[in-house]
Amino acid sequence: MALHQYNPNELLRKGKQVPIEVHGPVTQGEFLTNLGIQFRVSALLEPIPEEDGEALNSLYEGYQRLVEGEETVKGGMGISYKAMAITAPIPNSGGRKRKKYNCAGFSKLR
């Protein structure tokens, strides 16, 4: 059975039987920013000539729509949608207490 087919209560019940780590939820804007979307947008904007204002504007507006909220940008999805990950925990190593690891997108870039 695919993960998306579980109802939340069944997923939580199964999580009590099998160890899991839950990351999030965080907003879509936070998630994409933590993954470095701003660097990707910058790389995409770089080769576009300044004279092509329509292409520059379109790309930047798309970026804003993904990371900003509806109150900031018309159609903004950055706050409306959330991201969450469920992963297997890292096993203990050598009897030391294991640390919770950072899952991509759920902690700030350093």
Side-chain angles (χ1 to χ4, degrees):
M1 180 178 275
L3 183 60
H4 71 277
Q5 293 173 314
Y6 283 108
N7 72 46
N9 292 329
E10 186 176 347
L11 188 58
L12 289 172
R13 185 178 58 75
K14 289 196 178 289
K16 291 178 183 171
Q17 297 169 0
V18 177
I20 60 171
E21 290 204 3
V22 178
H23 308 273
V26 298
T27 66
Q28 175 178 294
E30 287 176 278
F31 181 72
L32 293 173
T33 300
N34 291 342
L35 286 174
I37 190 173
Q38 64 278 22
F39 301 111
R40 179 67 181 142
V41 170
S42 181
L44 291 170
L45 288 169
E46 194 172 312
I48 301 174
E50 286 186 32
E51 301 80 45
D52 195 353
E54 189 176 325
L56 291 169
N57 198 34
S58 177
L59 186 60
Y60 188 70
E61 283 177 1
Y63 161 73
Q64 284 187 306
R65 188 165 176 250
L66 288 171
V67 298
E68 300 291 340
E70 179 72 41
E71 65 283 344
T72 308
V73 176
K74 182 172 172 38
M77 301 179 289
I79 295 174
S80 301
Y81 293 93
K82 308 284 189 264
M84 183 174 100
I86 300 171
T87 62
I90 296 175
N92 291 342
S93 87
R96 295 183 306 222
K97 185 177 180 184
R98 69 175 184 80
K99 295 179 181 176
K100 183 174 180 175
Y101 64 97
N102 293 327
C103 188
F106 295 92
S107 58
K108 295 192 185 309
L109 285 176
R110 297 177 211 208

